Amino acid sequence: PKEVNLLIALLINLFFRMSLFLSTYINRIDKKGRVSVPSSFRSILEQNGLKGMICYPAPALGSIEGCSLNRMKKISDAIEASGPFTDERTSFSTSIFADSHQINFDQEGRVIIPNELLNFSGIEDQVTFAGMGETFQMWKPETYQSHKAKTSKEAQDNLTKLSWRNE
């Protein structure tokens, strides 16, 4: 029985690690400032132990990056690897952690995105949620369409550069 429980725990852990944020959704912000997070995104976030999400501005994109606590831990580990007193650590910590928000879901799976993030991204009455694998992004729908058109062309031009891990 102990071995079976261990095997089940390992399989569940493997399944959770393989969960990725996929697809694109556009949801409306209601009059109270709430937006429904796509249920598939909520499931992944809740599997990782958070009944909410972590969000921070993505400066190079003008969007909001969303992720789980596990992803933030990976980012923290990568930043800390640069050394405790480096300029890189200071700049990454300031631009990611200091501007991050932990936002909890209400009972219907909605969140209120902080005004600071809405203003940064230009989001007004609708939010595009775009799955990015281990993370997702939130965009003003029109801005996302422009971004997608640009990156789709870049992806087509660079398909041959993708490499697969030998597993």
Side-chain angles (χ1 to χ4, degrees), residues 123-139:
I123 292 171
E124 296 167 354
D125 59 345
Q126 290 184 316
V127 180
T128 295
F129 289 86
M132 298 287 152
E134 287 192 18
T135 65
F136 60 95
Q137 295 170 348
M138 291 171 278
W139 293 81

Side-chain angles (χ1 to χ4, degrees), residues 55-74:
C55 297
Y56 55 91
L61 299 174
S63 65
I64 302 167
E65 189 85 8
C67 63
S68 67
L69 283 173
N70 290 347
R71 177 65 174 197
M72 290 302 282
K73 177 68 172 124
K74 285 182 184 179

Side-chain angles (χ1 to χ4, degrees), residues 26-39:
I26 298 176
N27 292 345
R28 183 166 300 284
I29 298 175
D30 69 16
K31 291 179 182 181
K32 293 183 180 180
R34 302 171 299 192
V35 64
S36 181
V37 177
S39 62

Side-chain angles (χ1 to χ4, degrees), residues 50-110:
L50 181 62
K51 297 224 183 268
M53 58 190 186
I54 307 294
C55 297
Y56 55 91
L61 299 174
S63 65
I64 302 167
E65 189 85 8
C67 63
S68 67
L69 283 173
N70 290 347
R71 177 65 174 197
M72 290 302 282
K73 177 68 172 124
K74 285 182 184 179
I75 293 170
S76 177
D77 291 345
I79 291 171
E80 290 300 322
S82 68
F85 304 108
T86 63
D87 291 339
E88 291 84 7
R89 180 192 179 281
T90 300
S91 63
F92 283 131
S93 294
T94 301
S95 67
I96 296 174
F97 294 116
D99 290 339
S100 292
H101 298 266
Q102 182 173 329
I103 307 168
N104 295 321
F105 301 136
D106 69 10
Q107 291 181 348
E108 284 82 42
R110 298 171 300 196

Side-chain angles (χ1 to χ4, degrees), residues 5 9 12 26 45 62 69 93 108 113 123 131 151 159 162 167:
N5 288 341
I12 289 171
I26 298 176
L45 292 160
L69 283 173
S93 294
E108 284 82 42
I113 300 170
I123 292 171
T151 57
L159 278 175
L162 281 178
E167 294 182 21

